[in-house]
């Protein structure tokens, strides 16, 4: 707990959410998924920090916001090892891994140009078919893609 | 969403497949059963397919129902930029059942999500065409007396041919053995071979259409090899005649072997095969009518097997 506190205190977050252990290459996709660019909250984004597990990692800290589980879990698409820390009064009150949902609604665009989702004003929906390499399949056209290669809207 | 809709053959169970086959058999024995009296069915063909449309419309007519619809998108509201959702919602106000074909993949699945009217997918791009698979299964069951433990040889375009992919997946419940005969450019995709591995289905791959393979088969499922599938036209010229079935090749075949083809054929089956009693592709197309009558009744929740004496 102590080291957590020290590390996270860099941005002196009183309350809010810290998402850690995001692969550097996925950091800006994560920013996009969380919709951070449209927030007026105090946000710190760090990237290319050294990490034992990932080599380099990214970290996102957002003040005064606790995201619903459903949004955080979408991060799992691109950062399956990310950890979420909920901060209250400078303390990490909750620390948990992100969980990949069975179904991904919205967010990912189907790569098949002949897919109905690319031709109708509608939301996409994918089912996770392989949790190890995070392969997802379009519920409409059946096209599969590894989430690393997925087009994130 | 109506749970009687049929979008993909993969959505229905072994028991439902066997039930549809039983119903198809019923309609073959009683083709003019007026159980759709007063019902209106829409056939929405955003992409033209005369063969499939006529088969569905005949099925409805023989059951005493009425048909509205369009046969290609240029005459429909979608050519004016109307979304699929709006077209489906509009038509849903008028009909009891929607049969639709669309050039976009996943269109039928989406249609089921925007309406409570049952939807039958009559083909969505390269994706699914479950009534074709049902008529294939009915044809196999009818000619072999069972779906179980059969050796099925698929020949031609195994890479892009959606009929062979759907048939392969639907056969998972019936312990088949597959032979895949194709040139290197058109082999069965990896995902379907993995599907076989996962379900313990035996399969063998061949580049030669040999007498040994024919002799081992109960069903010979021929498909069209299309020139436009080849990036290298020299390659097409080289292989286009290697996978043609000639009458003499059937000399080694078992008595129960039947030749199937989703039609239309071009030159992958010689005309001299047509008179061989093993040629089954024209009856196969006719079976489509009964399979579609069965699918239509299932979609409308009509249990034909318990209707009696109103013929
Ligand atoms: Zn798709």
């Amino acid at each position: 707990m102590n080291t957590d506190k020290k590390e996270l205190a860099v941005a002196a977050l009183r309350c809010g959410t810290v998402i850690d252990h995001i692969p550097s290459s996925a950091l800006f996709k994560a920013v996009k998924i969380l919709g951070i660019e449209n927030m007026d909250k105090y946000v710190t984004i760090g990237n290319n920090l050294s990490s034992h597990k990932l080599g380099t990692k990214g970290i996102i800290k957002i003040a005064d916001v606790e995201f619903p589980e459903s949004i955080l879990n979408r991060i799992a698409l691109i950062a399956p090892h990310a950890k979420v820390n909920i901060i209250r009064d400078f303390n990490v009150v909750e620390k948990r891994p992100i969980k990949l949902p069975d179904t991904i609604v919205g967010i990912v665009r189907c790569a098949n140009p002949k897919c109905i989702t690319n031709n109708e004003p509608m939301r996409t929906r994918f089912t996770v078919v392989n949790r190890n390499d995070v392969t997802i399949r379009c519920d409409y056209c059946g096209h599969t893609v590894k989430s690393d290669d997925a087009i994130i809207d | 969403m109506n749970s009687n809709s049929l979008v993909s053959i993969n959505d229905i169970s072994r028991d439902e497949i066997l039930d549809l086959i039983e119903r198809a058999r019923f309609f073959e024995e009683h083709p003019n059963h007026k159980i759709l009296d007063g019902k209106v069915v829409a056939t929405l063909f955003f992409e033209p397919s005369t063969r499939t449309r006529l088969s569905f419309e005949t099925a409805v007519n023989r059951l005493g129902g009425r048909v509205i619809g369009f046969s290609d998108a240029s005459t429909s509201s979608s050519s004016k930029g109307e979304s699929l959702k709006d077209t489906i919602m509009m038509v849903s106000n008028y009909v009891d059942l929607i049969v639709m074909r669309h050039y976009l993949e996943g269109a039928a699945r989406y249609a089921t999500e925007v309406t409570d009217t049952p939807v039958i997918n009559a083909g969505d791009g390269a994706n699914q065409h479950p009534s074709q698979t049902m008529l294939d299964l009915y044809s196999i069951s009818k000619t072999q007396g069972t779906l179980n433990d059969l050796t099925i040889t698929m020949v031609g375009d195994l890479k892009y041919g959606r009929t062979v992919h759907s048939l392969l997946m639907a056969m998972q419940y019936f312990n088949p053995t597959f032979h895949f005969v194709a040139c290197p450019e058109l082999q069965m995709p990896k995902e379907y071979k993995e599907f076989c591995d996962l379900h313990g289905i035996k399969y063998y791959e061949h580049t030669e259409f040999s007498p040994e393979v024919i002799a081992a088969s109960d069903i010979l499922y021929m498909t069209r090899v299309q020139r436009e599938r080849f990036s290298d036209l020299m390659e097409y010229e080289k292989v286009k005649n290697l996978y043609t079935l000639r009458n003499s090749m059937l000399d080694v075949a078992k008595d129960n072997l039947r030749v199937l083809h989703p039609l239309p054929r071009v030159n992958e089956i010689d005309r001299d095969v047509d008179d061989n009693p093993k040629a089954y592709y024209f009856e196969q197309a006719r079976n489509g009518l009964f399979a579609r009558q069965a699918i239509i009744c299932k979609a409308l929740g009509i249990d034909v097997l318990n209707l009696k004496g109103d013929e």
Side-chain angles (χ1 to χ4, degrees):
Chain A
M1 209 53 133
N2 258 341
T3 49
D4 284 341
K5 205 167 162 181
K6 210 163 114 197
E7 196 182 308
L8 301 173
V10 174
L13 205 57
R14 185 173 210 280
C15 290
T17 302
V18 177
I19 303 167
D20 199 2
H21 299 290
I22 304 168
S24 287
S25 59
L27 179 74
F28 288 97
K29 282 185 177 176
V31 167
K32 203 170 168 186
I33 289 173
L34 294 170
I36 288 170
E37 58 258 70
N38 301 318
M39 284 180 183
D40 56 0
K41 302 295 181 193
Y42 181 75
V43 176
T44 312
I45 297 169
N47 203 8
N48 300 322
L49 310 171
S50 64
S51 157
H52 293 301
K53 240 192 270 172
L54 301 168
T56 63
K57 67 170 185 179
I59 188 167
I60 302 172
K61 308 177 189 186
I62 312 112
D64 303 324
V65 175
E66 290 183 19
F67 292 90
E69 186 102 12
S70 59
I71 294 207
L72 290 175
N73 289 346
R74 289 174 178 177
I75 301 289
L77 259 185
I78 49 161
H81 303 295
K83 299 263 188 318
V84 177
N85 302 272
I86 309 294
I87 317 287
R88 288 184 200 137
D89 282 330
F90 301 104
N91 283 312
V92 177
V93 295
E94 199 186 333
K95 182 172 183 131
R96 57 183 159 84
I98 263 168
K99 205 168 90 245
L100 185 65
D102 296 329
T103 305
I104 319 283
V105 177
I107 301 283
V108 180
R109 195 193 308 165
C110 185
N112 174 7
K114 293 195 70 184
C115 178
I116 186 72
T117 61
N118 288 315
N119 295 273
E120 277 271 312
M122 62 184 283
R123 285 201 298 184
T124 61
R125 195 175 64 237
F126 288 82
T127 300
V128 177
V129 289
N130 186 332
R131 302 190 84 88
N132 295 323
D133 63 2
V134 196
T135 301
I136 57 177
R137 185 179 59 217
C138 174
D139 282 2
Y140 295 94
C141 74
H143 199 88
T144 59
V145 65
K146 283 199 181 128
S147 66
D148 288 347
D149 307 322
I151 312 161
I152 311 252
D153 269 331
Chain B
M1 172 87 80
N2 186 303
S3 62
N4 287 329
S5 293
L6 180 59
V7 172
S8 161
I9 198 76
N10 304 324
D11 294 343
I12 63 175
S13 67
R14 177 183 192 275
D15 286 349
E16 286 173 297
I17 288 173
L18 293 173
D19 185 56
L20 281 171
I21 287 174
E22 203 185 330
R23 291 172 194 227
R25 189 172 295 126
F26 172 87
F27 283 118
E28 180 156 16
E29 288 158 11
H30 314 84
N32 299 311
H33 214 83
K34 303 286 179 212
I35 49 184
L36 293 193
D37 197 21
K39 301 264 194 249
V40 180
V41 176
T43 52
L44 309 184
F45 278 60
F46 298 88
E47 171 191 66
S49 170
T50 306
R51 193 177 296 273
T52 303
R53 186 171 56 84
L54 291 181
S55 180
F56 268 109
E57 293 186 353
T58 305
V60 174
N61 280 304
R62 287 205 179 273
L63 294 171
R66 288 173 177 271
V67 176
I68 63 163
F70 50 82
S71 56
D72 89 77
S74 66
T75 63
S76 79
S77 48
S78 66
S79 66
K80 301 193 190 82
E82 186 178 50
S83 71
L84 175 62
K85 179 180 177 179
D86 289 8
T87 304
I88 295 294
M89 305 239 331
M90 181 263 295
V91 172
S92 295
N93 291 328
Y94 306 144
V95 301
D96 302 291
L97 171 67
I98 294 171
V99 176
M100 65 178 279
R101 188 183 184 97
H102 204 287
Y103 47 92
L104 292 171
E105 296 160 25
R109 175 81 64 207
Y110 181 57
T112 65
E113 292 173 6
V114 301
T115 178
D116 291 328
T117 304
V119 175
I120 295 173
N121 184 6
D124 58 331
N127 193 27
Q128 297 288 331
H129 190 10
S131 66
Q132 174 70 45
T133 311
M134 272 317 304
L135 79 88
D136 290 343
L137 292 169
Y138 180 52
S139 299
I140 293 171
S141 164
K142 201 171 125 184
T143 59
Q144 306 299 317
T146 177
L147 286 176
N148 294 312
D149 310 318
L150 298 172
T151 299
I152 298 176
T153 297
M154 297 173 162
V155 185
D157 179 358
L158 307 186
K159 184 173 180 185
Y160 300 101
R162 77 179 160 187
T163 55
V164 291
H165 301 157
S166 295
L167 180 59
L168 180 152
M169 294 181 84
M171 285 301 294
Q172 65 175 291
Y173 309 112
F174 306 106
N175 188 38
T177 301
F178 288 113
H179 291 277
F180 302 141
V181 180
C183 67
E185 285 215 24
L186 297 178
Q187 302 232 325
M188 187 61 78
K190 190 165 130 266
E191 56 183 296
Y192 294 101
K193 291 187 272 183
E194 285 172 357
F195 178 88
C196 287
D197 291 335
L198 188 68
H199 291 84
I201 297 169
K202 297 178 286 299
Y203 65 88
Y204 306 92
E205 295 187 273
H206 315 265
T207 50
E208 194 196 342
F209 192 16
S210 69
E212 291 76 19
V213 173
I214 294 173
S217 306
D218 299 306
I219 292 290
L220 209 48
Y221 198 101
M222 304 296 297
T223 62
R224 191 150 49 109
V225 174
Q226 290 167 278
R227 178 202 292 261
E228 52 274 26
R229 299 301 189 197
F230 287 81
S231 47
D232 180 356
L233 280 184
M234 289 287 285
E235 192 61 34
Y236 170 74
E237 291 301 324
K238 236 167 39 192
V239 306
K240 71 174 182 189
N241 293 320
L242 290 180
Y243 303 100
T244 298
L245 181 65
R246 293 172 229 294
N247 197 28
S248 60
M249 293 163 73
L250 291 172
D251 291 348
V252 297
K254 295 198 270 184
D255 288 343
N256 65 304
L257 175 130
R258 290 294 177 274
V259 180
L260 271 58
H261 188 299
L263 301 181
R265 76 170 150 178
V266 182
N267 52 11
E268 55 279 359
I269 301 178
D270 263 0
R271 309 285 144 175
D272 63 357
V273 179
D274 295 357
D275 296 327
N276 191 314
K278 295 185 167 69
Y280 195 73
Y281 27 93
F282 296 120
E283 287 97 322
Q284 179 189 1
R286 184 167 165 268
N287 288 337
L289 175 60
F290 313 127
R292 290 184 173 109
Q293 286 179 310
I295 289 168
I296 287 166
C297 285
K298 179 176 159 57
L300 285 167
I302 298 169
D303 183 2
V304 289
L305 301 178
N306 290 318
L307 290 174
K308 286 191 185 81
D310 58 341
E311 214 171 326

